[in-house]
Amino acid sequence: MTDLQTNLTKLNGYLARFRTQGILNLIDGQDHAGDNRFETRSPTDNSLICTVAKGSAADIDAAAQAAKSAFPAWRDMPAAERKQILIRIADLIEQRAEEIALCECWDTGQAIRFMSKAALRGAANFRFFADKVASARDGHHLPSPTLMNITTRKPIGPVGVITPWNTPFMLSTWKIAPALAAGCTVVHKPAEFSPLTARILAEIAHEAGLPNGVWNLVNGMGEDAGRALTEHPDIKAIAFVGESSTGSMIMKQGADTLKRVHFELGGKNPVVVFADADLERAMDAAVFMIYSLNGERCTSSSRLLIEDSIADEFLSKLAARVDRIRVGHPLDPATEIGPLIHPVHLEKVCGYFDIARTDGATIAAGGKRVGDNGCFVRPTLFTHATANMRVAQEEVFGPVLTAIRFKNEDQAIEIANGTQYGLTGYIWTNDLTRALRFSDQIEAGMVWVNSENVRHLPTPFGGTKASGIGRDGGDWSFDFYMETKHIGFALGDHRIPKLGVSQ
Ligand code: NAD
């Protein structure tokens, strides 16, 4: 059997139980089938995977009540015990890594060569935050002449986590692990296009000994289950990953209950290549950052800013490289790009081929669908683009790169900063002073110099402008999931102003 056939056989084994009973919600440790269902289909061939419980506002309310009841005991559990549970979750993720990877690929269309590592990254997130449980409440000592001032942190309470369909497993662990480490309880609403691995993850958490009600899973649509979560008075904060326009809606929905929000939103990230850079490595990184993960990646380098003097040669080599990228079955280890998540998204991405042509850009590679069964598209490169074109401004969220030429550094920074987004920037130059200057001026939450995006868990992750609010990673995650409290102790009998004592 080929690796593809082996993977398909294993996948069928893992999916059997979902085909029989569908994906159920998990509220207060109990399965809930819900009154209604929706279907999840594989973008590989649009075949039905299984049905999914379609959570309602009532299901969200039940989940929020469970999270509220479970909160005091989880908050007060000794750190060492909470840490052990998180470590057990990491161990079980590793044990089920193959199942997670195969299900994620089939549900999302992501290629197995990338997803086989995504499950392990999810386990690493739990291990990292398990190690931080003991220090989560740490504060500062800020003495004044009259007071000993200290700060401490307390978990904010039950929180809502709303995740998107791109790498859903990894992103769910990335949000939920720090919430649990902080002592919060969770209601998770995964994306409707990719519900499979969120269910596996919640099962793992319970198998690891997480008390009932600490982690509740409610599937459903954004406009009903998602909305109800953001409006629920017992949910103290919403950690959201998704589109900028959805973030804006969530902010409005959460206004009446004064929700704290943490947003990881869209991007139109520039990779800026100067003539003095190591051009071979710059090419490798630019190709990797837009064409891996089907280009469905918030940190993708979707705009290539290329210095005029090297543009012709660089772009012709790049187009040849893009033409050689292998599009194929997500479970085939040779595949580099699998199908896009959903027919609706395929249509959106393909719509940009006409938009590019109409606006005057050239399609130097790709620009077409592959086959008519499944959501496959050729990786695409637009050249002769200018900074104001829609393909240079809007997030396509597919394997689509827009190349724009620049004449000098000033023009490069103007183009780099000339979008509504500000998530990441990638700079390729061997001029140290320019690298420092450029990375200081670029409007982005994260910048890599002579590197692709290499995630290091202690570093802050997040965007500026329309790309987000707040930071994840390291101790920054706790700023969101916890309240900081100041306590002042008098050191002696300092003077207290006296009112109402005059004769
Ligand atoms: P989306 O905004 O359409 O959906 C995300 C989630 O929000 C889903 O679970 C959806 O059901 C829910 N939702 C939709 N409407 C809602 C509402 N009114 N109230 C509450 N919840 C609602 O995003 P998507 O298409 O699933 O994901 C792709 C987007 O996510 C891209 O823009 C991408 O850049 C972004 N993203 C950002 C990061 C980051 O770290 N900055 C990471 C991954 C993805």
Side-chain angles (χ1 to χ4, degrees), residues 86-170:
L86 298 195
I87 289 173
R88 275 202 297 279
I89 294 176
D91 290 343
L92 290 172
I93 290 174
E94 281 166 6
Q95 280 172 31
R96 290 172 72 174
E98 179 187 77
E99 173 190 1
I100 292 163
L102 292 174
C103 288
E104 185 100 317
C105 291
W106 192 239
D107 210 13
T108 64
Q110 292 291 350
I112 188 72
R113 68 164 59 212
F114 300 116
M115 284 309 101
S116 54
K117 293 185 199 86
L120 301 178
R121 280 189 64 194
N125 287 336
F126 272 95
R127 269 189 221 294
F128 177 81
F129 283 106
D131 281 340
K132 293 190 80 66
V133 169
S135 62
R137 302 213 172 157
D138 288 358
H140 298 283
H141 174 217
L142 304 161
S144 72
T146 52
L147 293 166
M148 185 174 75
N149 296 289
I150 60 160
T151 68
T152 180
R153 293 191 294 199
K154 300 275 181 194
I156 189 168
V159 297
V161 173
I162 301 179
T163 46
W165 44 257
N166 69 312
T167 58
F169 182 81
M170 208 290 293

Side-chain angles (χ1 to χ4, degrees), residues 162-166 171 189-192 221-223 226-227 230 240-243 246 249-250 253 264-267 298 395 397 423 461 467:
I162 301 179
T163 46
W165 44 257
N166 69 312
L171 283 172
K189 208 299 281 171
E192 48 271 46
M221 303 298 131
E223 56 275 19
R227 185 184 179 112
T230 61
F240 169 74
V241 186
E243 280 191 26
T246 315
M249 275 195 286
I250 289 176
Q253 292 163 195
E264 288 180 0
L265 309 173
C298 56
E395 185 186 44
F397 217 57
L423 187 58
F461 185 103
S467 289

